[in-house]
Amino acid sequence: MAKTSQTRTVTLTDNETGQTYEFPVISGSDGPDVIDIRRLYAETGMFTFDPGYTSTGSCESAITFIDGEKGILRHRGYSIEDLAGKSDFMEVCYLLLYGDLPTVKEKEWFQNTITNHTMVHEQLLFLYRGFRRDAHPMAVMVGVVGALSAFYHDSTDINDPQHRVIASHRLIAKIPTIAAMAYKYTIGQPFVYPRNSLSYAENFLRMTFAVPAEDYSISPAVSRAMDRLFILHADHEQNASTSTVRLAGSSGANPFACIAAGISSLWGPAHGGANEAVLNMLHEIGTKDRIPEFIERAKDRDDPFRLMGFGHRVYKNYDPRASVLRESTHEVLDELGVKDEPLLELAMELERIAIEDDYFAERKLFPNVDFYSGIILKAIGFPTSMFTVLFAVARTVGWVAQWKEMIEDPSQRIGRPRQLFVGEKERPFVPVADRK
Ligand code: ACO
């Protein structure tokens, strides 16, 4: 856990008053030290100003470590490359939630527990019917996950450790069922119930693509690809949606409501919505000869167009998840028998041209996890509107683990940032008849 340095402090000097203030430096187990400014306002009467939180550490966490300069991502000490190549999603879920990789017995227990929670309350089916059939599946996800707290009252007491565990397991177990139902609803097909003999990824694929009229066989290549995508998206430190979950949870809100808040935050195109935006962009570009035109647009400050799937707040190097995906895209397409996927060709050429361009090099803009994931998802058969939903399915375990860590942190307080007020000062009220 974090240690306050006995010797190192940072001094702040007010150049108007000459007053100096000392703040302790805290070291974690890896990564940059932080300046502990918790007494800043009490001592100086001033706040920090950090819109977008680019220099702010909001919490202590032992779950995920990122070194953005070096392109490193580790969960509980294990590299994402090792986890994606040697582990499976259920193990990664256990790791994120409980801190260590499971033993054989623990894995069996966890898998059984999750499998036994995959069904949703039958009454929830009626909730779907309230949505328009052409609703975006993310809109349905926000609504249905938020509604879970109305169905599972017996796991919403955040002060009861047993409730926290059950709610965590329920969320991880039910989210694929809810996501698959959101898809089925939008295409007008009957819901498919989960099947306990299948793995997490297989079950999700079956609930999404099977129909009662015929047998559905799951390709091992597809379920492996799905499982790997889930691992790559499982957690990512204090990103926008995770911070949203933590902030919502800091008031004591129940976990189902908090995860619904996280799903809302994830939906935006600057975050999880980017995988959908990448595919739309590749379709818009269409052919390789049009890439330079779009690169110029991305560089033009007056044009809102950005290269989707490029750039990251933390990674100033290749996003390690994108490296894993780039390699596995070819492998997955081969295994799926997809020959010469024009979008992959286009994406690779776009990446090559962008990386060689000074604009992207100077700003350290590299492909992020969303750049290649859409191509794999499309090959598996998902429509673009489901891409962010899949991200939400995978990220639920990360949100839940971070939420649980926060609730169990004795230093946890309600999250309440302050502001730099730039509005009107006090002014007299004028009755409506007298206003000009
Ligand atoms: N295309 C073109 N220019 C870009 C891009 C891009 N994709 N990303 C950043 N830039 C430019 C900015 O215009 C800015 O240029 P300037 O210094 O001349 O003003 C500079 O690079 C820094 O960009 P910021 O927006 O300040 O970086 P920030 O950390 O706030 O944003 C973000 C990060 C939101 C991811 C951004 O890179 C972006 O919008 N990317 C495209 C969307 C995307 O792929 N999102 C997925 C992120 S990963 C995830 O959520 C799983």
Side-chain angles (χ1 to χ4, degrees):
M1 274 288 127
K3 277 199 264 19
T4 302
S5 168
Q6 297 306 309
T7 49
R8 190 169 170 211
T9 56
V10 164
T11 306
L12 192 70
T13 307
D14 186 329
N15 69 355
E16 258 184 39
T17 62
Q19 176 97 28
T20 61
Y21 308 92
E22 289 220 344
F23 296 98
V25 170
I26 304 182
S27 303
S29 51
D30 210 340
D33 291 342
V34 299
I35 306 166
D36 181 353
I37 55 157
R38 277 174 288 188
R39 295 213 34 87
L40 182 81
Y41 179 61
E43 289 182 19
T44 68
M46 288 184 265
F47 298 125
T48 55
F49 183 60
D50 186 20
Y53 312 121
T54 50
S55 299
T56 297
S58 59
C59 60
E60 255 184 40
S61 182
I63 301 173
T64 292
F65 173 75
I66 301 176
D67 183 330
E69 298 299 325
K70 295 189 185 139
I72 290 173
L73 168 61
R74 290 187 210 123
H75 296 312
R76 306 276 193 192
Y78 297 101
S79 77
I80 192 66
E81 291 82 358
D82 271 353
L83 293 173
K86 301 174 188 166
S87 190
D88 62 49
F89 185 61
M90 274 298 97
E91 285 199 347
V92 173
C93 289
Y94 186 95
L95 176 72
L96 293 171
L97 270 181
Y98 297 109
D100 283 305
L101 284 168
T103 60
V104 173
K105 262 192 146 170
E106 286 164 341
K107 187 170 176 179
E108 202 181 301
W109 164 80
F110 187 66
Q111 254 164 351
N112 283 341
T113 307
I114 296 299
T115 305
N116 282 323
H117 279 297
T118 47
M119 276 172 52
V120 292
H121 196 293
E122 197 67 7
Q123 187 71 13
L124 205 68
L125 271 53
F126 298 102
L127 194 72
Y128 281 83
R129 307 232 158 91
F131 289 100
R132 282 171 55 140
R133 291 272 178 190
D134 60 356
H136 193 289
M138 278 299 274
V140 177
M141 293 293 286
V142 172
V144 174
V145 174
L148 289 182
S149 39
F151 288 87
Y152 300 103
H153 305 278
D154 56 341
S155 57
T156 51
D157 179 359
I158 63 153
N159 298 313
D160 181 329
Q162 197 53 23
H163 277 220
R164 293 200 294 271
V165 168
I166 295 171
S168 305
H169 292 166
R170 278 182 170 153
L171 276 157
I172 296 165
K174 293 183 198 311
I175 199 87
T177 314
I178 291 167
M181 286 167 73
Y183 174 62
K184 287 296 195 195
Y185 185 75
T186 59
I187 57 168
Q189 287 185 359
F191 298 136
V192 176
Y193 288 98
R195 185 166 284 179
N196 286 1
S197 57
L198 299 177
S199 75
Y200 194 86
E202 288 170 337
N203 213 353
F204 176 60
L205 288 165
R206 186 177 165 278
M207 289 188 291
T208 307
F209 295 118
V211 287
E214 54 190 52
D215 291 337
Y216 175 74
S217 70
I218 305 155
S219 142
V222 172
S223 71
R224 259 200 318 276
M226 197 72 253
D227 195 76
R228 183 176 277 190
L229 277 164
F230 285 156
I231 294 175
L232 291 174
H233 290 84
D235 190 48
H236 210 232
E237 209 224 51
Q238 307 310 321
N239 57 82
S241 55
T242 303
S243 297
T244 303
V245 169
R246 279 189 179 255
L247 195 56
S250 76
S251 71
N254 76 70
F256 303 107
C258 297
I259 302 308
I263 295 173
S264 309
S265 170
L266 185 76
W267 193 358
H271 191 9
N275 53 14
E276 181 175 346
V278 170
L279 225 71
N280 293 339
M281 175 189 74
L282 291 174
H283 280 300
E284 198 189 343
I285 297 176
T287 48
K288 286 185 191 172
D289 57 305
R290 296 191 65 204
I291 292 175
E293 178 195 326
F294 282 84
I295 294 274
E296 285 317 305
R297 283 189 59 194
K299 289 155 59 172
D300 181 355
R301 275 173 179 267
D302 299 325
D303 189 329
F305 175 78
R306 281 188 163 198
L307 268 199
M308 286 294 130
F310 254 76
H312 197 274
R313 169 60 63 78
V314 181
Y315 293 118
K316 302 303 166 200
N317 202 323
Y318 230 99
D319 177 340
R321 302 165 300 173
S323 311
V324 174
L325 273 181
R326 190 181 196 276
E327 276 174 30
S328 52
T329 305
H330 282 290
E331 193 184 302
V332 172
L333 295 190
D334 279 354
E335 288 186 58
L336 291 175
V338 179
K339 299 264 173 271
D340 307 323
E341 166 57 79
L343 288 183
L344 177 60
E345 301 280 312
L346 191 63
M348 287 176 62
E349 184 64 0
L350 180 61
E351 177 192 336
R352 189 188 66 74
I353 296 178
I355 279 181
E356 285 172 6
D357 193 295
D358 286 348
Y359 173 93
F360 293 91
E362 280 159 16
R363 289 167 181 75
K364 299 185 179 172
L365 300 170
F366 294 89
N368 59 49
V369 66
D370 292 319
F371 195 68
Y372 285 105
S373 61
I375 294 170
I376 300 187
L377 294 173
K378 178 175 174 282
I380 295 177
F382 289 103
T384 42
S385 61
M386 277 297 284
F387 290 2
T388 313
V389 173
L390 292 161
F391 196 154
V393 170
R395 184 55 60 85
T396 293
V397 64
W399 290 328
V400 162
Q402 300 265 355
W403 167 81
K404 214 167 142 287
E405 183 183 64
M406 177 193 68
I407 299 294
E408 289 164 10
D409 178 352
S411 68
Q412 189 266 325
R413 301 172 71 191
I414 186 167
R416 176 55 168 96
R418 299 304 300 267
Q419 63 177 11
L420 177 65
F421 181 69
V422 294
E424 292 286 348
K425 290 193 171 211
E426 187 177 17
R427 50 180 170 167
F429 180 83
V430 181
V432 65
D434 301 338
R435 287 177 213 156
K436 303 229 168 66

